[in-house]
Every structure is written in structure tokens, then in C-alpha cells.
Amino acid sequence: MLTFEPRRPRHTAGRDLESLSVFVRDHRQRDLPVEERSLEAHFGTFSVSQSHKGEREARRWVVEISYGRAPREMAVAGHEGRAYDLGPEPPPDDIDARAPAVVVWHDAGMHFLVASGELGVDTLLAIAESMYS
């Protein structure tokens, strides 16, 4: 179903894998070619997304696309990335959810993203790093 070998985090902050999703259609419900599919793994309080986009596109998805406010440059296992802190808790009457913490990076044409609405960037970075150990 995928053209890449998925990476699995060894550190999961004590969470178990709850589900795996392979996205075979785009947002308009069009079938995606196998080389454009992505994988999402859900571990309760965080998720890991990975997809093969090619060198240029994977880097663009890291450095040009925003996943929150105030990105910080960082690296995951020596690979260029960005980190976005967990947003402030919204007021009780706000319909919008809290902005998630995100760690995103690229590696040899792969785009990786770890996100959580509960865990902070330091924990997400440890999860990301564990995908290389």
C-alpha cells in the first residue's frame, strides 16, 4: 500500500499504538497513486504522519508550510526541521481547539510530522528522535 518502509517510534511516552491509517484518497476523494499515499499512526495523545514527497517537496513542506505560530528551527537526528509549541488553552466558550504542538522534518525525500494537543515539543522531539534509534 506504500512505496516506503515506515519508521516506528521506539519511545511513545507510555502510549500504545491505537490505529494506523493509510490515506488512499485525497481531500476531494480522488484515488491517490501508491507513491503519493501517506501513513498516520495514532498513539492516543499524539500522532505520527509520514509520506514520501521527494527531496524538494519534502523540504518545502517543512520550511514553507506553517503548522502553528512562531516556528523554531531544530533538527531530528541531524535532519532539518521545525518545532511549534502547544498553543494556549482556549477560553471555555471558544469553539476552536487548542493549537497542537508539532515537530516536523524531512529526510531523503520523506516528510515526517509528530503532533499532539496535549504533549509538549520536548516530548514530541524525543518521540521523533526515537524513530532513528
Side-chain angles (χ1 to χ4, degrees), residues 1-2 4 22-24 32-39 51:
M1 293 187 80
L2 299 165
F4 58 90
V22 175
F23 290 90
V24 297
L32 288 171
V34 69
E35 63 273 4
E36 292 181 25
R37 294 178 181 173
S38 62
L39 173 69
S51 58

Side-chain angles (χ1 to χ4, degrees), residues 17 21 24 33 39 61 72-73 77 84 92 104 117 124 127-129 131:
L17 177 65
S21 300
V24 297
L39 173 69
W61 276 64
R72 290 184 283 136
E73 292 183 12
Y84 299 82
V104 60
L124 298 185
I127 292 166
E129 291 278 349
M131 293 172 69

Side-chain angles (χ1 to χ4, degrees), residues 8 16 19 30 35 40 45 52 60 67 85 88 92 99 125:
R8 182 176 184 153
D16 292 326
S19 67
R30 297 175 295 199
E35 63 273 4
E40 221 171 74
T45 58
H52 185 265
R60 187 182 79 76
Y67 299 90
D85 289 316
L125 183 54

Side-chain angles (χ1 to χ4, degrees), residues 8-50:
R8 182 176 184 153
R10 295 190 191 282
H11 171 65
T12 62
R15 308 320 194 274
D16 292 326
L17 177 65
E18 292 184 2
S19 67
L20 289 173
S21 300
V22 175
F23 290 90
V24 297
R25 291 195 178 91
D26 67 12
H27 64 286
R28 293 186 180 153
Q29 297 302 310
R30 297 175 295 199
D31 289 339
L32 288 171
V34 69
E35 63 273 4
E36 292 181 25
R37 294 178 181 173
S38 62
L39 173 69
E40 221 171 74
H42 296 271
F43 292 85
T45 58
F46 73 93
S47 40
V48 177
S49 174
Q50 43 193 306

Side-chain angles (χ1 to χ4, degrees), residues 63-91:
V63 300
E64 294 181 21
I65 294 177
S66 176
Y67 299 90
R69 294 187 289 186
R72 290 184 283 136
E73 292 183 12
M74 43 74 64
V76 173
H79 303 287
E80 181 180 31
R82 301 285 185 275
Y84 299 82
D85 289 316
L86 191 58
E89 192 70 48

